[in-house]
């Protein structure tokens, strides 16, 4: 029986989906460090994580039986995607499932900061009746600047306009402006006119530390700042300086450069204790609705990959949408070099294989050829394919009754 390991309190629906597909499922509540993860992956074919567990090259090299990793979140920067591809390990994420939850939190924090609700709340908890309009504003008519106009940024743009805000955005890629949103030519141009600035960028290494003191200084005096994307993209010490100096009137931060591994652990940050600063423990996508949707989406991707070989929406392998058929299926992940398809088909021809269908896709250094076969006159084709120097990983489905894996580790690039 194939086995799945789900970490970090992945929603129970994921385990239900995998168990109903016939897989053994082990669940654990916390994250694991590298050594713990290597030990836990013994005999595991599918791994499910969220944002705290890191899947390194060493983990992948030490886990030859691992077939797929599902990150039950948007981000994939906690996984060495290149190493995963080179070892034939498919990686799936949930690029859309928690979008609405993050957008709603951003909107709530924009309103809260603009009205200085956290300051009023603290005063009452301290026993002080601080009824005043000083520093409190409506969001209607104010300008929201969005850095990163992807799934989250674009949906936030639409909802913010419905609140009466003007929206400007900046993205390094060409994006269609929704509604009345306007694209800015540079981040600096956006910062100079925005009353609220919110970051929604991905976890690529080039984004590390890009928002520092120089950009905080370019922001409009009295503006508010939000980061619900990645903790390492913002210099939190520079943000503290901008708040303490009064240059910014408030901030909301949901992600941090270093975060505790599990609920209940000690948390520290230069941003603690600042007035009109909302700190949340990486809960942008943590609603019951979003987590259930993520659990369903990623678990289904893992199930389908192991069952049919479908890699659609994999973030590191060539994408093929594959459905079950009534015949056998041979799936070869290989180095993307000339002549592989011809060599594969030569093996089939030598063994009297009757090919019913074949698909090929490539992505960077990896290729993926999937062949449906109704009959093989001679045994030994799989061994020949495994022995090919270009083969990264070979998987076989026997008439879609059970998956088969040739003995021995797969060859890395």
């Amino acid at each position: 029986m194939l086995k799945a390991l789900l970490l970090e309190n992945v929603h129970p629906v994921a385990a239900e989906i995998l168990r109903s597909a016939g897989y053994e499922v082990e669940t654990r509540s916390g994250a694991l460090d590298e050594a713990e993860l290597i030990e836990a992956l013994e005999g595991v074919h599918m791994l499910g994580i969220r944002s705290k567990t890191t899947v390194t090259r060493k983990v992948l090299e030490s886990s030859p039986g691992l077939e797929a990793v599902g990150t039950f979140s948007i981000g994939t920067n906690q996984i060495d995607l290149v190493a995963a591809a080179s070892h034939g390990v498919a990686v799936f994420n949930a690029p859309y499932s928690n979008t609405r939850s993050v957008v709603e939190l951003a909107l709530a924090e924009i309103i809260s900061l603009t009205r200085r609700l956290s300051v009023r709340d603290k005063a009452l908890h301290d026993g002080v009746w601080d009824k005043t309009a000083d520093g409190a504003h409506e969001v209607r008519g104010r300008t929201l600047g969005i850095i990163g106009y992807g799934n989250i940024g674009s949906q936030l743009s639409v909802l913010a306009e419905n609140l009466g805000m003007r929206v400007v955005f900046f993205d390094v890629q060409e994006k269609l402006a929704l509604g009345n949103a306007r694209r800015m030519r540079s981040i600096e141009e956006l910062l100079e006119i925005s009353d609220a600035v919110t970051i929604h960028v991905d976890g690529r290494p080039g984004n590390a530390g890009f928002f520092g003191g120089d950009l905080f200084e370019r922001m409009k005096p009295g503006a508010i700042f939000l980061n619900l994307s990645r903790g390492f993209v913002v210099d939190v010490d520079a943000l503290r300086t901008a708040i303490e100096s009064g240059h910014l009137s408030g901030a909301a931060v949901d992600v941090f450069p270093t975060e505790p591994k599990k609920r209940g652990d000690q948390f520290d940050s230069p941003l603690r204790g600042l007035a009109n600063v909302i700190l949340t423990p990486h809960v942008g996508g943590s609603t019951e609705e979003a987590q259930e949707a993520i659990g369903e989406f990623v678990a289904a991707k893992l199930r389908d990959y192991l069952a049919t070989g479908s890699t659609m929406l994999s973030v590191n392998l060539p994408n093929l949408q594959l459905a079950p058929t009534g015949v056998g299926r041979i799936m070869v992940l290989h180095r993307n070099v000339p002549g592989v398809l011809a060599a594969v088909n030569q093996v089939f021809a030598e063994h009297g294989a009757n090919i019913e269908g074949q698909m090929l896709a490539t992505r960077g250094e990896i290729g993926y050829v999937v062949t449906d076969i109704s009959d093989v006159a001679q045994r030994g084709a799989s061994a020949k394919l495994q022995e090919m120097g270009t083969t990264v990983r070979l998987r076989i489905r026997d008439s879609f009754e059970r998956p088969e894996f040739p003995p021995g580790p797969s060859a890395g690039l």
Side-chain angles (χ1 to χ4, degrees), residues 47 62 67 107-108 121 158 175 213 222 258 267 353 374:
L47 172 66
S62 303
E67 294 284 329
L107 284 174
D121 173 74
V158 172
K175 299 286 185 176
T258 57
F267 167 75
S374 59

Side-chain angles (χ1 to χ4, degrees), residues 90-345:
V91 178
F92 298 93
N93 69 336
Y96 315 113
S97 303
N98 67 358
T99 298
R100 179 70 183 207
S101 294
V102 177
V103 168
E104 288 187 0
L105 180 60
L107 284 174
E109 291 179 334
I110 290 168
I111 294 172
S112 179
L113 293 171
T114 305
R115 292 294 301 271
R116 299 185 67 80
L117 294 184
S118 62
V119 176
R120 305 291 175 250
D121 173 74
K122 184 178 185 303
L124 283 184
H125 279 287
D126 291 341
V128 179
W129 185 262
D130 186 23
K131 182 180 180 180
T132 177
D134 292 345
H137 301 277
E138 295 180 351
V139 297
R140 179 181 56 177
R142 298 177 79 79
T143 299
L144 172 64
I146 301 173
I147 300 175
Y149 204 67
N151 298 325
I152 293 172
S154 58
Q155 186 171 144
L156 175 59
S157 170
V158 172
L159 296 184
E161 277 200 1
N162 287 333
L163 290 174
M165 300 189 78
R166 294 186 292 266
V167 176
V168 296
F169 71 91
F170 174 80
D171 198 292
V172 294
Q173 298 180 358
E174 195 65 34
K175 299 286 185 176
L176 174 66
L178 303 182
N180 295 312
R182 292 186 296 124
R183 183 190 182 102
M184 297 288 100
R185 291 170 295 181
S186 67
I187 292 178
E188 290 77 11
E189 183 181 12
L190 177 147
L191 298 178
E192 291 170 359
I193 65 171
S194 297
D195 300 294
V197 173
T198 181
I199 297 181
H200 300 284
V201 299
D202 61 25
R204 70 187 66 183
N207 286 334
F210 93 88
F211 208 104
D214 56 335
L215 293 183
F216 284 120
E217 291 176 2
R218 298 293 294 268
M219 288 180 65
K220 188 176 178 180
I224 62 174
F225 175 83
L226 293 84
N227 182 20
L228 289 85
S229 60
R230 302 290 188 275
F232 61 78
V233 305
V234 174
D235 183 339
V236 291
D237 291 307
L239 175 56
R240 179 184 179 94
T241 298
I243 294 290
E244 290 181 324
S245 69
H247 180 62
L248 299 185
S249 64
V253 179
D254 185 54
V255 288
F256 303 88
T258 57
E259 298 180 358
K261 289 177 65 175
K262 64 181 184 299
R263 185 179 183 183
D265 284 354
Q266 177 66 30
F267 167 75
D268 198 14
S269 169
L271 303 176
R272 285 178 56 192
L274 298 179
N276 206 33
V277 171
I278 301 171
L279 304 180
T280 49
H282 205 147
V283 294
S286 294
T287 61
E288 293 184 7
E289 294 84 356
Q291 291 306 306
E292 182 174 5
I294 290 171
E296 291 177 347
F297 184 89
V298 178
K301 288 297 178 184
L302 292 173
R303 176 201 63 200
D304 293 348
Y305 176 66
L306 268 292
T308 70
S310 179
T311 53
M312 184 55 60
L313 296 184
S314 167
V315 298
N316 70 324
L317 295 184
N319 278 199
L320 287 179
Q321 182 71 59
L322 302 170
T325 64
V327 298
R329 175 169 289 169
I330 297 179
M331 298 154 280
V332 182
L333 284 164
H334 60 86
R335 293 169 52 215
N336 185 19
V337 295
V340 173
L341 183 60
V344 168
N345 286 334

Side-chain angles (χ1 to χ4, degrees), residues 30-106:
L32 300 179
D33 63 26
E34 185 177 71
E36 293 170 334
L37 184 58
I38 290 173
E39 182 179 0
L41 286 175
E42 180 68 29
V44 169
H45 303 88
M46 291 173 282
L47 172 66
I49 62 173
R50 293 178 70 187
S51 58
K52 299 295 187 296
T53 299
T54 300
V55 181
T56 63
R57 177 175 289 273
K58 183 177 179 180
V59 169
L60 294 160
E61 291 173 346
S62 303
S63 309
L66 186 64
E67 294 284 329
V69 177
T71 172
F72 289 74
S73 61
I74 294 177
T76 57
N77 54 293
Q78 69 274 43
I79 302 171
D80 188 330
L81 297 178
V82 174
S86 71
H87 287 78
V89 177
V91 178
F92 298 93
N93 69 336
Y96 315 113
S97 303
N98 67 358
T99 298
R100 179 70 183 207
S101 294
V102 177
V103 168
E104 288 187 0
L105 180 60

